Amino acid sequence: MDARRHSIDLVVSMEEFRSIVARFPQRELDIRRRFGRDASFRSICSDYEEATKALRHWQKTLEEADPERDRRVKEYNHLLVELEEEILAYLSRP
């Protein structure tokens, strides 16, 4: 892989943990280290990033009294809490 392609891959990969670093800034170094060496952790971070984007989408929906919107917001909030717990569990491993 050439250096330019590797640089692009790193930027894309870093996007996958932006939200989790924002949530746990004090653990940024741990997150970066685990992300760099653990494919399962990268997958969880990617899931977290996607769930964060989905939550933002549903929160911005204009129909604030829409039961579907409320259900989705609650669902994604719950998913994010579960993913945060899983991420913290990974970070506490050696």
Side-chain angles (χ1 to χ4, degrees), residues 15-61:
E15 290 294 317
E16 293 176 2
F17 67 83
R18 176 183 296 190
S19 293
I20 198 64
V21 168
R23 175 68 178 90
F24 299 109
Q26 73 281 10
R27 302 296 304 267
E28 181 175 2
L29 184 57
D30 296 330
I31 292 167
R32 288 178 179 275
R33 286 179 178 154
R34 179 67 66 170
F35 191 90
R37 69 175 194 258
D38 189 324
S40 295
F41 184 75
R42 285 192 296 273
S43 178
I44 295 167
C45 288
S46 179
D47 291 346
Y48 188 87
E49 190 66 33
E50 289 300 313
T52 300
K53 289 176 185 176
L55 175 62
R56 288 183 191 136
H57 165 78
W58 284 103
Q59 287 174 328
K60 291 179 182 178
T61 303

Side-chain angles (χ1 to χ4, degrees), residues 3-17:
R4 184 174 174 209
R5 177 69 186 155
H6 182 69
S7 177
I8 291 169
D9 288 344
L10 284 176
V11 170
V12 170
S13 293
M14 292 169 97
E15 290 294 317
E16 293 176 2
F17 67 83

Side-chain angles (χ1 to χ4, degrees), residues 73-90:
V73 167
K74 185 176 179 178
E75 188 176 283
Y76 280 108
N77 273 317
H78 181 73
L79 176 60
L80 287 171
V81 168
E82 288 179 349
L83 289 168
E84 287 171 4
E85 290 170 358
E86 193 170 353
I87 287 167
L88 290 174
Y90 264 88

